[in-house]
Amino acid sequence: MKLKEFAHQLGLSPTTVSRALSGYPEVSEKTRQRVAEEAVRLGYRPNINAVRLVTGRAGAIGAVMGRKGEFQFSEFMIGMAERLDGEDIDILVSPMAEQETRDEIQIYSRLVTSGRVDAIIVHSPRPDDERIRLLHKLGVPFLVHGRSETEVPHAWLDIDNEGAIRRATSHLLDLGHRRIAMINGGAGYTFSIHRDKGYRDALEERGIAFDPRLVVHGHFTDELGFRFARSLLEQSPRPTAFVAGSMMTALGVYRAVRSRGLVVGRDTSVIAHDDVFPYLTAENMVPSLSATRSSIRAAGARAADLVLQLLGGRPADEIHELWPVELILRESTGPAPAEARS
């Protein structure tokens, strides 16, 4: 059914119908509701290209994908796609070969100036993030997945990284562990800084001095988790517990512990942050993995919802969501070996 035919059936002009379906404020709520109901009843769907010409919108949300963290990124995108189903809005992903600020700025600038996206989602923010300043200056709606300490107003959605790692570390301390290693995310990112603070605060609360040799930073991969854990386990005295930044990191830690002839959950405890991957579940690892838990897919769905609210006119400084994180205890954490307690 074409627009003219649909408008004729309603006894309205094509312009009025088009504006009603596009949410223009000059169309009364009663008319908008009637048009929407009749569109559903008659099975009318507007031509998306025509709608974009009328509204001036591209009908897409932009995101930039780096070389690392592809598992987390793909789950986030799936969550976005599930929320945007039926919204006539696409997701435009721009790849980035190298994770350098210069390259990122060029990509974000190109996304905005090309007119191909109506809004952008920024991942892995830094405390003073140049991307946030750029997007604010360019006047494009954007949502930050994470938080930044910049004074530039911005909408954000984040999890309580500080609280999650503090609880995880405190649990290991309760079990008698004193040399607790942490494999954190990349240095300089806000989430890594928050996790570092949670770790340090937990130690300080128990009067345990922070040992910088027990903390390492890097991308969340199985290989890096293995290499970092192997190196940490070569220390004397060795750490008796690990806080791993992700499920992929935990896989590497498990391999490293076993390569040393140790048993996870008995000789060495492991606790990780679980982004809830359908193909890698904490409860199915052997032994089952204790973890702080927050779904990256759910975050993607909520991020898409918040972007739609931004596009609908909600002010950016009203959108600040901090999600709590669960702590789920399983078999990978146990009492510290007797000789390691003090």
Side-chain angles (χ1 to χ4, degrees):
M1 184 181 295
K2 294 184 178 180
L3 176 61
K4 282 187 177 180
E5 182 183 351
F6 178 57
H8 177 73
Q9 296 230 20
L10 270 64
L12 298 171
S13 71
T15 300
T16 299
V17 170
S18 177
R19 289 178 175 271
L21 291 171
S22 301
Y24 276 71
E26 59 265 30
V27 180
S28 71
E29 179 61 32
K30 182 179 179 180
T31 300
R32 280 202 300 271
Q33 185 174 349
R34 179 188 168 211
V35 171
E37 290 174 352
E38 288 298 298
V40 172
R41 187 178 70 84
L42 297 172
Y44 172 75
R45 288 179 63 84
N47 181 290
I48 189 61
N49 291 324
V51 171
R52 289 172 182 174
L53 284 173
V54 171
T55 62
R57 289 183 177 175
I61 297 172
V64 176
M65 181 180 72
R67 294 185 304 166
K68 303 298 182 180
E70 60 270 21
F71 296 106
Q72 290 87 351
F73 188 83
S74 64
E75 278 297 295
F76 188 90
M77 289 294 105
I78 290 171
M80 283 190 64
E82 291 173 345
R83 172 60 185 88
L84 294 174
D85 183 32
E87 295 285 349
D88 288 325
I89 294 180
D90 300 320
I91 303 172
L92 177 62
V93 178
S94 291
M96 182 174 62
E98 299 291 339
Q99 289 196 344
E100 295 182 3
T101 302
R102 182 185 64 257
D103 297 327
E104 285 184 292
I105 290 300
Q106 291 176 350
I107 291 172
Y108 281 97
S109 180
R110 187 177 71 246
L111 271 176
V112 176
T113 56
S114 69
R116 293 181 295 164
V117 297
D118 301 310
I120 291 177
I121 292 182
V122 178
H123 292 274
S124 301
R126 305 169 184 86
D128 184 20
D129 203 298
E130 190 175 347
R131 297 170 298 174
I132 292 176
R133 293 199 302 272
L134 171 71
L135 296 176
H136 179 71
K137 180 180 179 181
L138 293 175
V140 64
F142 66 95
L143 175 81
V144 177
H145 181 214
R147 279 176 289 170
S148 177
E149 296 174 7
T150 177
E151 294 182 357
V152 176
H154 60 281
W156 56 262
L157 167 67
D158 199 8
I159 65 171
D160 185 8
N161 283 289
E162 180 182 330
I165 299 304
R166 183 173 61 249
R167 289 181 66 193
T169 307
S170 294
H171 171 64
L172 295 171
L173 291 166
D174 289 341
L175 292 172
H177 296 277
R178 293 298 177 264
R179 287 189 62 76
I180 302 170
M182 180 170 70
I183 302 178
N184 202 349
Y189 294 107
T190 307
F191 80 90
S192 293
I193 294 170
H194 289 170
R195 291 183 178 188
D196 184 74
K197 185 177 187 306
Y199 171 82
R200 290 175 183 247
D201 286 350
L203 295 177
E204 185 178 348
E205 288 171 2
R206 306 300 178 92
I208 298 174
F210 170 74
D211 185 347
R213 296 178 303 163
L214 293 175
V215 178
V216 291
H217 292 266
H219 297 296
F220 294 142
T221 66
D222 176 11
E223 182 58 31
L224 270 184
F226 174 77
R227 285 164 46 192
F228 283 148
R230 279 280 298 190
S231 178
L232 288 160
L233 287 168
E234 290 171 357
Q235 295 184 14
S236 182
R238 67 172 178 83
T240 62
F242 285 85
V243 176
S246 76
M247 291 287 291
M248 299 304 297
T249 303
L251 283 178
V253 174
Y254 269 44
R255 283 202 295 128
V257 170
R258 288 165 179 155
S259 73
R260 300 281 295 183
L262 302 171
V263 177
V264 174
R266 186 190 71 189
D267 304 310
T268 307
S269 288
V270 182
I271 192 166
H273 179 68
D274 179 10
D275 285 318
V276 192
F277 298 136
Y279 41 82
L280 177 61
T281 59
E283 57 267 27
N284 288 337
M285 292 179 67
V286 182
S288 58
L289 177 66
S290 294
T292 56
R293 183 180 177 95
S294 181
S295 169
I296 191 76
R297 184 177 294 194
R302 182 57 177 162
D305 189 54
L306 293 174
V307 169
L308 292 176
Q309 293 182 30
L310 285 171
L311 292 174
R314 186 178 178 189
D317 56 9
E318 287 185 5
I319 300 177
H320 296 159
E321 288 194 11
L322 182 65
W323 286 9
V325 177
E326 295 181 86
L327 174 61
I328 302 174
L329 302 179
R330 298 189 180 91
E331 299 170 333
S332 67
T333 50
E339 66 273 14
R341 301 185 191 186
S342 59

